């Protein structure tokens, strides 16, 4: 139990929800309770809801942020949008103390740099690093740095009008900000857009969500005929990535910057005793901008950012991939805009560290892969992918590589950087060695001995050869191969999962030989994996008893529908990145041509059904934003392949040198040596 984490729950007094440095503190005349133990303030869920409402009044100066926003400890962000826009709703005592407030926060921010998280390195021990957040100081600094520099933070209230200009000739307004003009983008000549592209841009802009008058994301779907949008009217972190890339590649950075900063504010940073609360560092799956009446002001409203960490999501799935996507997008923002100041900010650095700490913390698991529940990624329903699914591992590897580039190295991060490097090294070894299958490997598994008890076992996971599915023996081509979907004791999930395999290529989790192998397999199995609509989310579908047992009889995930072998056009942009990286753009171009024939005519569906992707999905939303954005991003990347290469990674030989067996005392042989053949490029 942390004793110093007394933020929020312990006090309903105004102004105390942000800067509480320890027990018995008092800030701005707000006395804190004597004890810092959460247990003493353990509220029931209904009580804490009530508390949330009261917390609305506990806001800090929205003036300092340059927009009318308040943050409460439940990570809801509020923003007034009343008629008196220019005036602050901040209590006068706050307004008066504004200067002092700023300097106090600045201190907190820099203190946090030194104290908020640290990693205890035990590199020479038989385990990976132990990560911990120092108890008593798990305060996440607020977004303030730029204000002190006299700059706008998350968009501009005024003056944007003049800057409105569109790089693409789509007939719609697009704003560019100061960082939307990276050299690499500026040098690209404007291109004539087809009617389909024009329509796509129009729809993408129509999906933009504003918060306090500034764009902060795109809704998942804006299907005009949809009477029951469920949560498709929310901004999903993973869904926004292709939108963000389309905007960035088009020289529009403001919305992406706003998104990154606002989601950062929503990031969970306090673990409460309520076991249904998200853990520190978790990023929400999605958020919604709600406009609610302003307390005590007739006819005035405020915008509220309301995150969903899975507590409302169907199946209550925890979005493990959100934080990973956030880090990946943060790096892409820097690469495409040239604005590296964003990732250098103290609050952003803290956000990265919180995500990493969550991912790198010790558990019972012995593998370098991340252990997660079913449905913790793009496949957010029960599909038998719990354990160590490929998608999460590939995104995890990508995010670690991003973090390695972006983390500011100082005394407080040095050990974290070591932990990141070790994990990268171990993860790539593990994946390349144990997840990779091709004809030769499957034949090896087919002849495996089982029940081997020794550290030298060949069949380490005790895989029974009978597990090799009938479809695979005929399906696997002579050349090429892929990463399997999951690996557990006595269990290999041999299904082909597209996103994970593509990100393995993009991030160089796979060797270049393996990357080529994956693309060879996709080309060879085009009719199965691309068919009438790129691309299958996984192959093959679970059918009959398998479907009933593994999905729990899910009527949405019937064979060849939705997550169970459905075709998802949003995967196009990731295919494009992988193909360009491997210098095979023609393969992706072929897929774009296929998609182009149908997407607009079919009103941009979320997914397609049937074995060959012939039908619009049974319950597919139309005007699905990441379908639209995925298409646009693919077109932009095809046009500017040099930008695709700055979004991917090459083999990092330093990581290969940093042999993981250094962490495994007592092993006489370097385990890398056994994998040499696969590492060789
Ligand atoms: C579905 C998808 C998920 C996506 C969401 C919003 O639940 O499985 O990946 O984020 O829709 O589009």
């Amino acid at each position: 139990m942390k004793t110093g984490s007394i933020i929020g729950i312990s006090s309903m007094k105004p102004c105390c929800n942000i800067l509480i440095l320890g027990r018995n503190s008092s800030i701005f005349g707000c006395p804190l309770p004597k004890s810092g133990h959460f247990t003493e303030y353990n509220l029931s869920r209904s009580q804490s809801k009530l508390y949330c409402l009261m917390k609305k009044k506990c806001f800090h100066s929205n003036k300092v942020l340059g927009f009318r926003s308040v943050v409460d400890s439940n990570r809801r962000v509020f923003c007034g949008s009343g008629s008196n826009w220019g005036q602050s709703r901040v209590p006068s005592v706050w307004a008066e103390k504004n200067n002092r407030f700023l300097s106090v926060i600045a201190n907190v921010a820099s203190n946090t740099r030194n104290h908020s998280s640290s990693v205890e390195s035990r590199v020479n021990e038989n385990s990976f690093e132990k990560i911990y957040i120092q108890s008593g100081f798990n305060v996440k600094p607020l977004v303030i740095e730029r204000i002190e520099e006299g700059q706008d933070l998350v968009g501009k209230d005024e003056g944007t009008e003049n800057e409105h200009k569109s790089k693409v000739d789509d007939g719609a307004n697009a704003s560019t900000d100061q960082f939307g003009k990276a050299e690499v983008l500026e040098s690209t000549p404007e291109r004539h857009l087809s009617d389909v592209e024009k329509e796509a841009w129009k729809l993408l802009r129509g999906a933009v969500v504003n918060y306090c008058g500034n764009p902060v994301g795109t809704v998942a779907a804006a299907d005009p005929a949809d009477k029951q949008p469920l949560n498709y009217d929310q901004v999903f972190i993973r869904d926004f990535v292709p939108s963000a890339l389309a905007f960035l590649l088009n020289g529009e950075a403001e919305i992406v910057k706003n998104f990154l900063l606002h989601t950062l504010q929503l990031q969970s940073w306090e673990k409460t005793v309520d076991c249904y609360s998200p853990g520190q560092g978790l990023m929400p799956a999605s958020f919604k901008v709600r406009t609610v009446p302003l307390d005590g002001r007739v006819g005035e409203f405020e915008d509220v950012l309301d995150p969903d960490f899975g507590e409302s999501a169907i199946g209550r799935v925890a979005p493990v991939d959100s934080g990973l996507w956030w880090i990946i997008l943060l790096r892409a923002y820097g690469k495409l805009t040239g604005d590296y100041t964003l990732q250098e900010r103290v609050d952003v650095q803290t956000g990265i560290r919180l995500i990493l700490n969550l991912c790198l913390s010790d558990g019972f698991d012995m593998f370098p892969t991340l252990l997660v529940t079913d449905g913790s990624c793009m496949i957010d329903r029960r599909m038998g992918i719990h354990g160590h699914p490929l998608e999460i591992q590939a995104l995890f590897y990508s995010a670690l590589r991003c973090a390695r580039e972006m983390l500011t190295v100082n005394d407080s991060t040095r050990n974290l950087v070591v932990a990141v490097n070790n994990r990268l090294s171990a993860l790539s070894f593990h994946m390349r060695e144990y997840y990779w299958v091709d004809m030769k490997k499957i034949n090896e598994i087919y002849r495996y001995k089982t029940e081997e008890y020794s550290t030298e076992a060949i069949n380490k996971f005790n895989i029974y050869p009978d597990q090799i599915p009938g479809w695979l023996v005929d399906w696997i081509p002579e050349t090429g191969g892929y990463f399997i979907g999951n690996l557990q004791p006595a269990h290999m999930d041999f299904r082909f999962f597209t996103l994970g395999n593509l990100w393995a290529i993009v991030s160089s989790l796979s060797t270049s030989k393996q990357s080529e192998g994956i693309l060879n397999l996709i080309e060879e199995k085009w009719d199965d994996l691309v068919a009438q609509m790129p691309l299958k989310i996984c192959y093959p579908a679970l059918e009959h008893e398998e479907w009933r047992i593994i999905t729990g009889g899910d009527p949405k995930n019937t064979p060849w529908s939705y997550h169970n072998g459905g075709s998802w056009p949003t995967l196009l942009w990731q295919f494009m990145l992988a193909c360009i990286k491997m210098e095979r753009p023609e393969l992706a171009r072929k897929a774009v041509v296929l998609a182009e024939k149908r997407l607009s005519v079919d009103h941009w569906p979320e997914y397609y059904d049937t074995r060959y992707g012939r039908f619009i999905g049974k319950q597919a939303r139309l005007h699905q934003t990441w379908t639209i954005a995925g298409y646009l991003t693919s077109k932009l990347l095809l046009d500017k392949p040099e930008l695709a290469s700055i979004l991917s990674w090459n083999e990092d030989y330093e990581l290969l040198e940093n042999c993981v067996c250094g962490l495994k005392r007592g092993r006489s042989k370097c385990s890398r040596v056994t994998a040499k053949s696969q590492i060789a490029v």
Side-chain angles (χ1 to χ4, degrees), residues 38-204:
F38 270 112
T39 36
E40 295 178 26
Y41 303 92
N42 188 6
L43 304 175
S44 70
R45 286 201 73 69
S46 57
Q47 277 172 312
S48 72
K49 233 182 200 160
L50 174 69
Y51 173 76
C52 293
L53 292 174
M54 297 181 72
K55 288 293 290 179
K56 273 197 199 177
K57 295 203 174 72
C58 291
F59 53 83
H60 69 85
S61 167
N62 43 31
K63 244 171 138 188
V64 287
L65 296 182
F67 66 102
R68 293 162 58 85
S69 154
V70 291
V71 183
D72 81 355
S73 63
N74 286 348
R75 318 309 303 147
R76 283 186 179 204
V77 181
F78 299 92
C79 155
S81 58
S83 52
N84 54 346
W85 176 255
Q87 296 165 30
S88 170
R89 282 198 294 117
V90 181
S92 55
V93 58
W94 273 87
E96 281 162 30
K97 294 188 174 175
N98 225 6
N99 286 338
R100 191 178 149 208
F101 180 76
L102 266 178
S103 70
V104 173
I105 295 189
N107 283 340
V108 172
S110 59
N111 273 342
T112 303
R113 191 202 295 265
N114 299 327
H115 302 298
S116 73
S117 73
S118 70
V119 179
E120 204 175 56
S121 176
R122 291 185 283 133
V123 185
N124 296 322
E125 288 185 30
N126 227 3
S127 69
F128 298 110
E129 277 60 28
K130 186 180 174 200
I131 316 290
Y132 65 89
I133 300 283
Q134 277 184 0
S135 66
F137 203 98
N138 59 354
V139 179
K140 192 167 158 214
L142 286 164
V143 183
I144 51 139
E145 286 181 323
R146 296 307 201 87
I147 300 300
E148 290 172 351
E149 296 161 27
Q151 287 185 28
D152 193 357
L153 239 187
V154 281
K156 304 173 187 76
D157 294 335
E158 301 153 67
T160 39
E161 291 294 287
N162 300 338
E163 294 173 43
H164 275 216
K165 76 172 204 194
S166 178
K167 200 143 197 242
V168 290
D169 178 23
D170 60 347
N173 269 352
S175 62
T176 53
D177 78 357
Q178 57 185 326
F179 296 116
K181 303 172 192 112
E183 259 170 50
V184 68
L185 293 174
E186 274 201 323
S187 60
T188 320
E190 284 181 15
R191 191 172 61 91
H192 172 73
L193 296 182
S194 68
D195 287 346
V196 175
E197 283 168 274
K198 278 184 191 161
E199 184 197 14
W201 273 111
K202 196 160 168 238
L203 291 171
L204 181 62

Side-chain angles (χ1 to χ4, degrees), residues 27 50 64 94 116 142 147 166 175 243 356 382 449 475 486 508 511:
I27 297 179
L50 174 69
V64 287
W94 273 87
S116 73
L142 286 164
I147 300 300
S166 178
S175 62
S243 297
L356 293 178
R382 184 173 159 192
K449 287 192 188 60
W475 192 75
N486 215 323
S508 278
T511 65

Side-chain angles (χ1 to χ4, degrees), residues 220 232 236 238-239 377-380 562-563 568 606 624 626:
Y232 282 83
F236 278 73
R238 71 175 77 85
D239 291 42
C377 50
M378 177 188 182
I379 296 180
D380 56 4
Y562 199 42
H563 299 143
W568 291 67
E606 180 186 14
Q624 179 80 18
W626 69 353

Side-chain angles (χ1 to χ4, degrees), residues 393-412:
Q393 313 317 326
L395 293 177
F396 181 35
Y397 186 80
S398 310
L400 288 177
R401 289 208 62 174
C402 295
R404 189 166 183 256
E405 284 176 37
M406 296 189 296
L407 271 176
T408 306
V409 182
N410 55 34
D411 285 347
S412 68

Side-chain angles (χ1 to χ4, degrees), residues 238 317 321 373-385 391 495 497 499 537-538 557 562-564 568 626:
R238 71 175 77 85
V317 281
D321 64 341
T373 61
D374 216 345
S376 55
C377 50
M378 177 188 182
I379 296 180
D380 56 4
R381 291 166 85 90
R382 184 173 159 192
M383 268 293 289
I385 58 163
E391 174 171 338
R495 281 175 291 174
F497 287 87
L499 197 155
I537 194 166
C538 66
N557 273 334
Y562 199 42
H563 299 143
N564 188 14
W568 291 67
W626 69 353

Side-chain angles (χ1 to χ4, degrees), residues 70 76 141 310 315 317 333 361 400 407 551 584 591 607 660:
V70 291
R76 283 186 179 204
V317 281
Y333 173 89
S361 59
L400 288 177
L407 271 176
T551 71
R584 294 175 71 176
Y607 63 95
V660 285

